Amino acid sequence: MSVARQLCDWCVRMKYLRRNPFDGVKPILTENKAAHEQHEIWTSSQLEALLSQKSFSDIGSFDDMWIPLIILNTGLRPGEVCQLRVSDLRQCSDTGIWYIHVSDEGPKQKIKTPNARRDVPVNQALIDRGFLDYFRRRKQASTPKP
């Protein structure tokens, strides 16, 4: 139910739905199994099919492709990924390692708990897919022209 609620929240933000049909709905039964004992939500072939798409829809954009890739390769929460700013991608001056700075420092940025404020290394799989180039293009596009 949590997955369906999150998906519908995203659909509302993308204007696929007017409202989330799961708002206010609570499960009657509680889950007896721990999260690690539950079955996989997505199969490998389903994930591969999803992530191989250039764009998820005509309404969506190229930017949408990066949301599940970042989640999959960093463990960030969907809300954390959706509120990232270009300034949140940083490179350590000592090691050269790229990382994502997760915080509530920017306007409209929120974190779940104070411990959610953290720096998360960028996985090589993201770099290999062109993530750094994508962020550079986004940074250039957001930089005011003189």
Side-chain angles (χ1 to χ4, degrees), residues 43-59:
T43 65
S44 295
S45 60
Q46 289 171 324
L47 278 173
E48 188 175 320
L50 173 68
L51 299 176
S52 67
Q53 301 299 311
K54 290 187 183 231
S55 181
F56 294 112
S57 73
D58 294 335
I59 297 172

Side-chain angles (χ1 to χ4, degrees), residues 56-67:
F56 294 112
S57 73
D58 294 335
I59 297 172
S61 70
F62 178 74
D63 299 332
D64 296 337
M65 171 187 86
W66 290 104
I67 295 169

Side-chain angles (χ1 to χ4, degrees), residues 2 20 45-46 50 69 79 91 94 104 113-114 116 119 125-126 130 139:
S2 173
N20 186 338
S45 60
Q46 289 171 324
L50 173 68
L69 291 173
Q91 187 176 27
D94 295 333
D104 56 355
T113 68
D119 294 330
L126 284 173
K139 190 171 186 171

Side-chain angles (χ1 to χ4, degrees), residues 13-49:
R13 285 192 302 277
M14 295 299 295
K15 299 186 174 150
Y16 297 129
L17 294 173
R18 289 188 190 141
R19 68 173 198 79
N20 186 338
F22 290 94
D23 283 347
V25 176
K26 295 184 181 187
I28 296 171
L29 302 173
T30 58
E31 183 61 55
N32 292 334
K33 294 181 182 181
H36 69 277
E37 296 173 328
Q38 296 177 21
H39 68 282
E40 290 182 18
I41 295 171
W42 295 84
T43 65
S44 295
S45 60
Q46 289 171 324
L47 278 173
E48 188 175 320

